[in-house]
Structures are given as structure tokens and as C-alpha cells.
Amino acid sequence: MSESKSFHMSPEEFRRQGHAVVDWIADYHSRIESFPVLSRVKPGEIRSKLPPSAPQQGEGFDLILGDMKRVILPGITHWQSPNFYAYFPANASGPAILGDLLSSGLGVQGMLWSTSPACTELETHVLDWLVPMLGLPEKFLSTSSTGGGVIQDTASSASLCALLAARERATQFASNRKGCDGRLVAYCSTQTHSSIEKAIKIGGMGSDNLRQIEVDKNFAMRPESLARQIESDIKSGLIPCFVCATVGTTSSNAIDPVREIARVCRDHKLWLHVDSAMSGTAALCPEFRFIHDGVEFADSYCFNPHKWMFTNFDCNVFYVADRNHLIQTLSVLPEYLRNQATESGAVIDYRDWHIQLGRRFRSLKLWFVIRHYGIEGLQHHIREHVRLAQQFAVWVRDDSRFELAAPVQLNLVCFRLRAADRAEQDRANQLLMERLNGSGDLYLTHTKLDGKFTLRFCVGQTNTQARHVERAWQRIQEETGKLGDS
């Protein structure tokens, strides 16, 4: 009987093509500045280059890799470009990419300790490393009596888990059994990320029960307004259960006064979650740890190494002060997951720490990054990014055509063109942004602050240097000069 044909890639072919893929990635990064940062394709253009149906016979890998250049690259917005200043960064690095490659190669499904002990124990240990690295309270250590950390995909998932735990603590876990009765209320500021509103919907509490608290002139939550709203809701027979404070809002990088908010939460026994998704990385540097003032009173905390810590997407670190509330909220144990290690109580099963059951070996890439850069290397790059953003802010402040729209506390600069007429001001700023992005030389995005169209310039990509920021400011000045001629 002849041996049946295998359609798999052989180890030898994998080795050869693996080298080709690594070479492709290295070449891409070496010439990334030659691409327009924002993709210029039209809707449907990528799909038009793809065949209408899947191939009947397998195709050569050389052909597949060749289509990366022909089909895929034109549709890529280059998030790793040093000229990417939009949104918040989603930066990567060589060590992180290689760690992720090893994670994919191992193909671990780390839902239980027993399904890969290294996946669980490395994650627990690396997250314990990060607590002192960021100056976080020791109660978040896995070695504390109650706390611990877990890697989530994004801050959105972390916030949802925090909300669910808060919901169950407030109802003595009755809402998990019976559902919500419409009386639970949650709080955030008007500047809080939209993921909180999504979480409140997913969690069954209803968006009508999310109170968005007003902010001060620096776009940070007003604790006194929070206290008044909570007291009003209690008088109305509602049950306040959760507050989200933000360290570095998306629109302006505003930092909510966590210490004062925590005092309000303690008075009313509310769960306090601190979302430090982008800005938390700055606390690697002691001089920036002011952002964490009051975090020692939080019930949960999260930040994203995949935003500013050179660890490619996705990687969110989520800590809780009392892991039992989280585990009891999310744990479901069918018979097919029972095992001796779990029953012993001596291990962590991370399946009980988040929404999904299955989980990737994400801690490998984070481990690689920390070991490659060391604390010193990470601090160096964070300080340089902040320095470049502060320099950019000085240029904006010194140009009479522009104004700063918010305090520049770290690496985000919010600015806009001045104009006597509000409508004209908005039009001019939007046109400036569109021309800059259309040029391909850089990419920035906008928000609205005080109702005004505002440009956001965030310095945080892995390879952004002084020359890139200087060139960006030059291009902004050039395009601004052309606006008067249009």
C-alpha cells in the first residue's frame, strides 16, 4: 500500500519559509518609513485583488508570501511607523515578535495550570515583576494574601471583568443567578473610554444606569460631583456598585484624582477600578509615578504593555486586590475540566480570571521584552518619548497660530489652530489634519475638547526619534501656511 499524501508543511519547508518570513518582517521594518503611514486604498480595493473563491489545490508558499506585497501592504496603515502619532500607540519590538512566534510555535492552550504549567507560572511571575517595576501596591502581588494579576487581551476585557466582579460583590453573587433587577448603577467621567459603556451593556446593567460624571478644566473627573450623584442615586433606591477612574484618558490624557475618588468609593463601599491603559507604562520611571497616586486604594487596576511597552498586541495586565471576588464571579467548572491539580487548591487556573476559557501563552512576549530591554532600557525610551512630546508642546506654545487644548502631562499633545469663529476654527483644523494624513508623511487623529475640534499628537512608537518629531512639526507648519491660500 502506497503511503498516503500529506498536505502538511514539512519541518524542512517550515524552516526554509520561516527564515523567509523573518527576513520579510525585518525588511519591512527597515523600510517602513518609505510607506505612506495611512493606507490610501479605497473601500473594497483589497477584496477586489482576491479571487472570488478559495483554491481547490494548495498553492506554493512563495506565491502566498509574494501576495503580501501585492495585495496586503497597500491596505496596511503602518502602526509601527515612527511617523505614527494617531490614537495611542500599539507598538511592537523584535523581542516581542519573537516571543509571540514562540508562543504560536508551541501552540499552548493555557486554560488550566495542568494544560501547561509553564504558561501559568511564567505569567504569574512576570506580573509579579511588574508590581514593583511600576510602583504598584503590594496587594496586587500573587504572593499577597488575596491579590494577583492576569493577562487579558485588552483593557476593555479587563474593565468588563472588574465591572462583573463589582456587580456580584454588590449583590452577594445573586445577579449571577437571577440576573440584574435594574437598580445597579456604575460611574465614570464624561471622558472615560467607551469600553465602560459597552461593559455596562454586556454586563446586563443597562446603559441608562451608567452615570457620566462631569470633569474639571483639565478634563479630570470631579470627585465632589461623583459623591453628589452617588448620594442622589441611593436616595432614589438604586444600588451604586462600580466606579472607573482613568489614568490617561483617550481624548486628552487627563488623570482622574484617584485618591479623592477612592475616598468617595470607600465611604459608599463601591468597587474602584483604575484604567491606566496607555499611561501606566510611564510609571516605569519613578519621576512619573505621580500618575498612580491613590492606586493603593483601588480594587482593580489595568494597563496595556501593548500600547507603550514595546509588547505587540494583544497584552493587557489586570490586577485585583481580592482575587476571590473575581474567581467566584467567573468560575464555572464542568466535569471535563476537573483535575487533580485544580482540586488541590495549590495552583492558579486562569480560566477563572477572564471571560474566555482558552488562552494563549502571552506572557512569553512580555518576558522577552522585559529581559531584553531591562528596566533601564524601558525607562530610557519612555523618558525620550515624553521629552519629545514636551518639546513638541513648546513649539506649539511658541507659535501664535496654535494653542494647546489640554495640559501636556506625558506623551500626548492636544492642540489646534486658533480662529475667531468656532465653525471656521473647526473647519481649518479638520482640513489641516486631512492634508497631513493625506500626504502620507505622518498620521494623527482628533478629538473634541470643550466642543472644539482638536488635534492629537501622541509620541510612543518604538522607533520614533527626534528627527521624526522635528519633521512632523515642519510638515504641520508647511500645511498650515498653505491653508491661507485655500
Side-chain angles (χ1 to χ4, degrees), residues 19-235:
H19 283 297
V21 169
V22 171
D23 285 343
W24 192 98
I25 295 170
D27 179 63
Y28 167 71
H29 281 273
S30 70
R31 61 193 181 99
I32 196 169
E33 291 184 58
S34 67
F35 301 111
V37 186
L38 182 64
S39 174
R40 292 170 167 171
V41 301
K42 302 283 192 300
E45 187 173 333
I46 302 301
R47 293 195 67 181
S48 71
K49 296 179 181 179
L50 299 169
S53 57
Q56 185 64 37
Q57 282 81 39
E59 300 176 342
F61 194 84
D62 293 341
L63 177 63
I64 299 170
L65 192 58
D67 278 348
M68 286 295 298
K69 178 179 180 180
R70 184 183 69 87
V71 179
I72 302 302
L73 267 183
I76 295 294
T77 289
H78 300 280
W79 282 74
Q80 304 312 313
S81 170
N83 299 307
F84 185 101
Y85 306 103
Y87 304 108
F88 279 145
N91 60 22
S93 65
I97 294 168
L98 294 175
D100 217 23
L101 175 62
L102 283 168
S103 175
S104 295
L106 290 169
V108 163
Q109 211 284 46
M111 59 186 175
L112 301 167
W113 178 89
S114 62
T115 60
S116 270
C119 180
T120 294
E121 294 193 16
L122 181 66
E123 182 165 333
T124 303
H125 199 75
V126 169
L127 267 58
D128 278 352
W129 277 1
L130 281 167
V131 169
M133 284 173 66
L134 297 167
L136 292 172
E138 291 185 354
K139 68 179 183 179
F140 290 146
L141 290 168
S142 69
T143 52
S144 69
S145 58
T146 59
V150 60
I151 296 179
Q152 304 266 4
D153 51 7
T154 63
S156 298
S157 293
S159 297
L160 173 58
C161 289
L163 177 73
L164 294 175
R167 184 192 73 184
E168 294 311 304
R169 189 176 76 172
T171 63
Q172 289 76 53
F173 300 92
S175 51
N176 254 353
R177 300 190 307 273
K178 302 176 181 179
C180 297
D181 62 5
R183 293 192 298 150
L184 293 169
V185 186
Y187 305 83
C188 64
S189 88
T190 58
Q191 300 295 302
T192 301
H193 193 270
S194 59
S195 60
I196 300 300
E197 181 179 356
K198 180 176 283 189
I200 207 95
K201 293 178 179 179
I202 296 171
M205 291 168 58
S207 57
D208 286 349
N209 286 340
L210 177 63
R211 306 287 190 259
Q212 295 185 329
I213 306 301
E214 64 181 349
V215 295
D216 62 20
K217 60 182 177 61
N218 292 329
F219 307 104
M221 186 192 294
R222 293 183 180 274
E224 64 277 12
S225 298
L226 171 66
R228 283 196 300 270
Q229 184 63 60
I230 291 171
E231 290 161 4
S232 173
D233 288 333
I234 292 173
K235 289 177 181 177

Side-chain angles (χ1 to χ4, degrees), residues 40 47 72 74 82 101 162 186 192 205 214 233 238 293 305 320 340 348 418-419 433 442 473:
R40 292 170 167 171
R47 293 195 67 181
I72 302 302
L101 175 62
T192 301
M205 291 168 58
E214 64 181 349
D233 288 333
L238 300 175
D293 180 49
V320 287
Q340 187 174 356
I348 290 175
R418 298 178 186 270
M433 183 184 73
L442 70 158
W473 177 240

